[in-house]
Amino acid sequence: MTAIARSGALGLLGAAVNGVCGFVLTAVIVRVLGAPGAGAMFAVIGLVSILGPLCCLGADTALMWALPRRAAGPAGDAARLLPLAVAPTLALATVVAAAGWVAAPTVDAALLGSGDATLVRLAFAGVPVFAVATVLLAALRATRPVAAYVGVQLVAVPVARPLLIGAAVAAGGSVTAAFAGWLLPMAAAGVAAVLLVAGPLGLGRGARLRPTAADRRRFWGFALPRAVSTVIDAGGMWFGVLLTAALAGPAEAGVFGAVCRYALAGLLVMQGLRVAIAPQLSRLLGAGRTPEAAAVHRRVTTVVVLLSWPAYLLLAVFAPAFLALFGAPFAAGAAPMAVLAVAMLVNVGVGTVQTVLLMNGNSRGHLLAAATGLVVYLIGCLVLVPRHGALGAAVAWSLGIVTENVIAAVLVRRVLGEPLAGRAVAGTALAALAGTGAAAAVGAAAGGRGPGGLALTLGLLAIGALALLRSARVRAALRAALVLLRPGRTAPDQPGATQPGRAGPDQPGVAGRPPAASTFHPPDRPHTPEVVP
């Protein structure tokens, strides 16, 4: 694998570790706490996962968008965005934590009905930790090579969580102690992010930290519309968990949370590639190079469909086998899992449309898509959850997912002015459906929908994959799809492509020399780099 694809490969590896550890975390929670305890745990995690991103005010995504366009180092102007992002986040999160501490008995009565507000109070106390760490990790992602972000956020945090939770419960701790084990790694990640961004931004070496009025106006002009959509993105499953806990009880919420873990794990490929391509899309779109950005999107979509659609088809067909990991009380999640798996085929099939919108500076368009999907989701929960529990929540979330992705795809089509999917994407989708569908049909017919049928299907798919990799044409297609995954690179046949060893004018200051234009351009004006002597 050449250096061009290493960034994407690292993102995929980190996402894979994160996904596996997510399974382990969910298994630990449901096994040691049971369905009611897991429901309570998922509910407070959901509380933090919704309030934390809200308190970020969109500053995390704004840093991802802005820092690659700034000059780094002591003489650069990138460092002054950090306090601009962190200070308001910390202030709002502290206010929310204080208000939540006071209102904890009422919140506990509405969500958990335990009569003890200690767990809810700890959750609110964790909001500032979660919010500030999220902003700092975004700065890390934008300023360091992708390996640093992957190592901290996608490996260290998810590996530590099940270990700490298991140790806390094994020592006789309650759900409250288990939640502390979930929160602590995020605090450590925030500290690590500060240490890692100090060098590239020139912190402690004379870098200017006082933002200008223009910085504030342009930064928050992008960030604030993103604030609401960030909550919607981060709270996807958690809105359903909270409403299911309130309307159908903690046990149904525990089942829904376990099902969602599988549904979200199937997105690990797309999440890993987003880590690699977001800064690259920001540079290409900022420079007005939309054909190249469209090519990145299409090739990434091809890879995502190839690797993710088979996984979701297997989740839909063999849901009982996957849920057996969590024990008998979670067998009722088979139907909700199948519903969510079908919705995720749509989510994956449109590719990284949300990332394209945000890296183009269109946070308002992203908010429109996300808010519309959320409204559909919440209405569906209120109507369906009281009668159908976890299944109703799964149907409601599926409707919201499809709504959001259709709107986002329409908006991105207008941005790029080119088709979002070509023949490669369509051919890959059909091949994934046909190949996985045939193998699943044979496996289910011979071994049922339990572990035996799943094992047989996986064996058939492995044989088929090895046979395909013997084809030079297939191997060449995979290499071509990966060539765009290194930030700052474009396909060799694209106009303006940077050649190995040479920095293009739109390369970020954090990667070496400062960019040609160090001013921070607002999202409604394209960034056209000047030529540097």
Side-chain angles (χ1 to χ4, degrees), residues 297 352-357 407-418 420:
H297 173 78
T352 57
V353 288
Q354 289 89 350
T355 303
V356 176
L357 275 179
I407 294 174
V410 171
L411 294 176
V412 169
R413 178 64 175 82
R414 294 176 181 175
V415 168
L416 298 179
E418 295 190 17
L420 301 184

Side-chain angles (χ1 to χ4, degrees), residues 8 33 66 104 191 199 267 287 298 305 323 334 350 418 458 480 510 525 527 533:
L33 299 177
V191 174
L267 298 177
R298 285 192 294 270
V305 168
L323 289 169
V350 299
E418 295 190 17
L458 292 175
V510 295
R525 180 161 61 92
H527 172 196

Side-chain angles (χ1 to χ4, degrees), residues 160-189:
R161 277 175 169 164
L163 294 176
L164 291 177
I165 291 173
V169 176
S174 62
V175 178
T176 302
F179 177 74
W182 179 87
L183 183 63
L184 184 60
M186 199 65 177

